[in-house]
Amino acid sequence: MAEVSRLWRGVIEEYRAWLPVSPTMPVVTLGEGGTPLVASAWLSEATGCEVWVKVEGDNPTGSFKDRGMTMAVSRAADAGVKVVICASTGNTSASAAAYAVRAGLVPVVLVPEGRIAQGKLAQAIVHRARLVQVKGNFDDCLKLARGLCEQYSAVLVNSANPDGYRLAGQKTAAFEIVDVLGDAPDIHVLPVGNAGNITAYWAGYQEYAKAGRAQRRPRMWGFQAAGAAPIVSGAPVEHPETVATAIRVGNPARWGDAVAARDESGGRIDAVPDEAILAAQAGLAARDGVFVEPASAVGVAGLLRVAEAGELDRGQTVVITVTGHGLKDVATPLEVAGDVGAIVVPPEPDAAARALDLD
Ligand code: F0G
């Protein structure tokens, strides 16, 4: 008899009991969530721990933002809103655009002019978002988005939104990890930009532990890029600069929540330099077959640095969230790789075999 497979229904239907949704709310979904948890032989060997990567680039628009956006846009549709607005370094805008058009809403996306990756720009364009390039950085965009939502009839779908819908959707990633591993890991590692995701994961782990679904809570380890590390330095960064454009954020909206997640979990938030981020991105692609964008490799870089400093006890279970797909930004890794000397051959087996040194 043929096996019956079940369609993954998206995070609202899969985790409805854990989310603040009414039975009558329309569900705007692209089937987000249910992403792979992949064992990393490379990182396990390098650290002496059991290391897993949660591949969030496998979401419908290529980043973890979809988990929150299904909630935010469903809620906006339910409330009869016509226009949704977000500020973004590129992934939130891609996600907001896709989910909004699906619901028949108008997405307005504010991005820092010339500072987001091409793939993300393309996503806003193909989904026909009203794309606004702001002469400023992400923090300026967020301020502008908030101001527009206060004065005009539009709803903010950033995770800074006080209604908490975005974060409620994002916490489902922590649920999935516990559901797969059977318990929370000892350590959860992830990049920190506007600090929504670390806040969401911590909420998810705590909720599952309180409900008896997990026996323990992980220590939360967040990493920022060295040129955009306000939480590490303890002061806003006026001109954040990093190759990891997705987390080029100088004044995170969820700063206090991120610090709380760190402290309540006995965790850490540290900075990693751009070179280490790019090396981690390259290693993950070349060793584990997982292609992520630069910002998504920040957790990998951070874990390796802590391990090299002798501050990581062996034998622990570690999950690293890799937040967005590598295809979003192909310019950066191609520039790093430089001239790779591609082999050019005529369409003849002997010539190709000679060029490839095949026996
Ligand atoms: N990784 C990626 C790929 C991101 O796009 C972001 C944030 C983060 C990590 C950090 O997550 O902000 O919850 O701490 N991107 C936002 C955006 C700022 O506009 O797409 P966070």
Side-chain angles (χ1 to χ4, degrees):
M1 206 172 78
E3 265 189 45
V4 179
S5 68
R6 188 175 72 78
L7 183 71
W8 176 267
R9 298 165 296 168
V11 298
I12 293 178
E13 294 304 354
E14 297 293 337
Y15 290 104
R16 180 175 276 277
W18 302 85
L19 298 172
V21 293
S22 78
T24 56
M25 183 185 79
V27 175
V28 183
T29 181
L30 284 162
E32 61 294 317
T35 55
L37 188 65
V38 176
S40 171
W42 171 47
L43 294 169
S44 297
E45 195 188 315
T47 60
C49 289
E50 180 187 312
V51 183
W52 300 83
V53 285
K54 179 72 169 158
V55 186
E56 288 289 276
D58 278 25
N59 275 296
T61 76
S63 85
F64 70 97
K65 304 289 182 180
D66 295 341
R67 294 179 183 277
M69 208 51 76
T70 184
M71 285 289 290
V73 172
S74 296
R75 166 84 177 142
D78 195 29
V81 167
K82 298 274 179 298
V83 179
V84 294
I85 297 187
C86 71
S88 184
T89 55
N91 281 325
T92 299
S93 47
S95 187
Y99 282 78
V101 294
R102 206 170 161 75
L105 310 183
V106 176
V108 174
V109 306
L110 313 181
V111 301
E113 186 189 23
R115 306 309 284 274
I116 75 169
Q118 282 290 95
K120 301 174 187 178
L121 199 62
Q123 289 181 289
I125 291 167
V126 298
H127 294 307
R128 303 271 169 84
R130 292 205 188 153
L131 173 63
V132 183
Q133 304 239 19
V134 177
K135 292 186 184 305
N137 58 31
F138 169 82
D139 306 285
D140 300 314
C141 293
L142 187 54
K143 216 179 290 169
L144 181 55
R146 281 177 155 151
L148 288 171
C149 290
E150 272 162 26
Q151 293 185 28
Y152 300 91
S153 57
V155 160
L156 188 72
V157 291
N158 280 102
S159 61
N161 189 330
D163 76 12
Y165 267 66
R166 274 275 313 274
L167 296 190
Q170 285 175 211
K171 78 184 174 189
T172 59
F175 296 164
E176 286 175 20
I177 290 163
V178 175
D179 288 344
V180 168
L181 294 181
D183 205 343
D186 295 302
I187 301 169
H188 189 104
V189 187
L190 77 176
V192 174
N194 209 28
N197 216 24
I198 190 170
T199 306
Y201 270 91
W202 181 233
Y205 280 126
Q206 288 195 92
E207 223 174 286
Y208 248 29
K210 277 187 201 132
R213 289 276 185 120
Q215 303 311 305
R216 59 187 179 207
R217 296 169 172 81
R219 275 169 282 144
M220 300 299 299
W221 285 14
F223 291 94
Q224 303 198 286
I231 299 177
V232 181
S233 66
V237 177
E238 203 176 332
H239 300 293
E241 219 21 277
T242 167
V243 70
T245 54
I247 54 169
R248 193 186 269 148
V249 178
N251 192 8
R254 294 277 176 179
W255 187 321
D257 293 325
V259 169
R262 178 194 68 192
D263 296 345
E264 288 166 21
S265 73
R268 61 198 297 163
I269 297 180
D270 287 321
V272 286
D274 279 3
E275 310 81 71
I277 295 170
L278 293 174
Q281 179 191 26
L284 201 58
R287 304 290 293 272
D288 282 331
V290 178
F291 183 23
V292 303
E293 64 170 290
S296 305
V298 167
V300 175
L303 182 74
L304 286 173
R305 284 172 73 87
V306 175
E308 277 156 20
E311 294 168 15
L312 176 67
D313 290 339
R314 300 172 72 85
Q316 301 186 86
T317 303
V318 180
V319 173
I320 311 175
T321 301
V322 291
T323 43
H325 205 287
L327 291 173
K328 294 223 176 216
D329 173 10
V330 295
T332 305
L334 285 178
E335 198 181 310
V336 170
D339 181 3
V340 293
I343 297 165
V344 181
V345 298
E348 292 161 14
D350 288 350
R354 259 197 314 280
L356 287 164
D357 265 339
L358 296 183
D359 294 329

